[in-house]
């Protein structure tokens, strides 16, 4: 009886505006996704997981299960190595129009597409770095897994905007030199992960769409 009632209502609306109802019916029957500019990009959980894994490996200071990854030097004394080719820190900055003093203004100066493009470039860059470092694959596996999980989440739930990235050529083959480079790179990744968390949280809130 409930199904029959629904059909009757649909027929009545069809007589009133057949074109509009037909368009809606086709969209539902084909399970068409919402347009990219109306989708909510929600990857905050995956971003937090990545940040947690990076914080964990940095706190250990190299005292890993199989070997002392940063033996022979103090990783905390080294400078972080940041990616030079991305603009994530600047393009993912929330618009100033989101301030309470101007909450009625549009946040059009923030580009979700540009932000996600740079985030993807960051993740692909570090994913390549982690996978090309062979001596400690097991030690780095939690970070590698979390990085891949965030990349997959962005592909599934966010705008399809890919980022270009250069090849990673920092490994020399020298264990000590490469471990120095790995320490600097992981510190840079940890800093960038903080930025990613803030940016993806902002995007998920939808404030820039108001």
């Amino acid at each position: 009886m409930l199904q029959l009632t629904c059909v009757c209502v649909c027929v009545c609306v069809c007589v009133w505006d057949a074109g509009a109802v037909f368009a809606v019916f086709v969209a539902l029957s084909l399970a068409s996704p919402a347009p990219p500019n109306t989708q909510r990009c929600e990857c905050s959980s995956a971003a937090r997981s990545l940040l947690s894994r990076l914080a964990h490996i940095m706190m250990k200071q190299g005292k890993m299960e199989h070997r002392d990854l940063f033996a022979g030097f103090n990783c905390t004394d080294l400078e972080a190595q940041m990616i030079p080719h991305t603009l994530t820190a600047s393009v993912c900055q929330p618009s100033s129009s989101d301030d309470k003093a101007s909450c009625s203004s549009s946040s059009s100066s923030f580009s979700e597409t540009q932000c996600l493009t740079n985030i993807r470039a960051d993740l692909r860059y570090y994913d390549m770095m982690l996978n090309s470092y062979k001596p400690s694959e097991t030690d780095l596996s939690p970070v590698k897994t979390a990085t891949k999980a965030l990349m997959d989440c962005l592909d599934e739930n966010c705008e399809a905007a890919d980022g270009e990235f250069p090849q990673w050529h920092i490994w020399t083959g020298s264990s000590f030199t490469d471990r120095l480079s790995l320490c600097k790179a992981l510190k840079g990744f940890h800093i960038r992960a903080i930025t990613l968390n803030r940016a993806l949280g902002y995007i998920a809130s939808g404030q820039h769409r108001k």
Side-chain angles (χ1 to χ4, degrees):
M1 184 60 183
L2 179 59
Q3 293 180 345
L4 178 61
T5 302
C6 292
V7 171
C8 291
V9 172
C10 181
V11 171
C12 291
V13 176
C14 285
V15 173
W16 176 64
D17 193 351
V21 174
F22 177 74
V24 173
F25 174 76
V26 171
L28 292 175
S29 63
L30 296 178
S32 299
N37 61 354
T38 63
Q39 290 180 340
R40 183 65 61 86
C41 174
E42 177 50 74
C43 288
S44 299
S45 178
R48 286 194 300 270
S49 177
L50 173 59
L51 180 58
S52 175
R53 299 296 187 276
L54 283 165
H56 182 68
I57 197 172
M58 296 311 299
M59 282 192 302
K60 286 186 173 231
Q61 285 298 296
K63 295 179 176 60
M64 303 300 175
E65 180 180 353
H66 300 290
R67 58 177 295 180
D68 193 348
L69 188 61
F70 302 139
F73 59 91
N74 189 348
C75 186
T76 57
D77 292 340
L78 301 179
E79 293 183 0
Q81 177 180 322
M82 305 302 296
I83 299 178
H85 73 284
T86 60
L87 303 172
T88 309
S90 58
V91 300
C92 292
Q93 182 71 23
S95 172
S96 59
S97 62
D98 290 327
D99 295 339
K100 292 182 179 179
S102 56
C103 59
S104 61
S105 302
S106 171
S107 302
S108 57
S109 61
F110 177 85
S111 172
E112 179 176 335
T113 299
Q114 289 185 14
C115 180
L116 290 175
T117 297
N118 280 269
I119 287 177
R120 280 189 169 91
D122 287 334
L123 292 173
R124 287 181 180 274
Y125 193 67
Y126 284 115
D127 181 63
M128 178 179 292
M129 180 271 290
L130 292 169
N131 283 289
S132 65
Y133 188 81
K134 300 303 181 183
S136 298
E137 291 182 342
T138 302
D139 297 334
L140 296 173
S141 59
V143 176
K144 292 165 62 175
T145 300
T147 301
K148 183 63 166 59
L150 180 52
M151 293 170 64
D152 291 342
C153 181
L154 292 173
D155 289 340
E156 295 172 4
N157 301 299
C158 304
E159 290 184 7
D162 213 346
E164 297 182 358
F165 58 99
Q167 297 295 313
W168 185 276
H169 294 301
I170 67 169
W171 310 131
T172 64
S174 166
S175 174
F176 183 77
T177 302
D178 286 350
R179 288 187 292 112
L180 282 173
S181 297
L182 178 65
C183 166
K184 296 176 183 179
L186 286 174
K187 292 183 72 172
F189 195 9
H190 182 249
I191 294 172
R192 184 49 48 87
I194 295 174
T195 302
L196 301 188
N197 270 264
R198 291 173 178 169
L200 291 175
Y202 177 69
I203 291 174
S205 72
Q207 290 296 315
H208 60 298
R209 299 180 184 272
K210 296 180 179 179

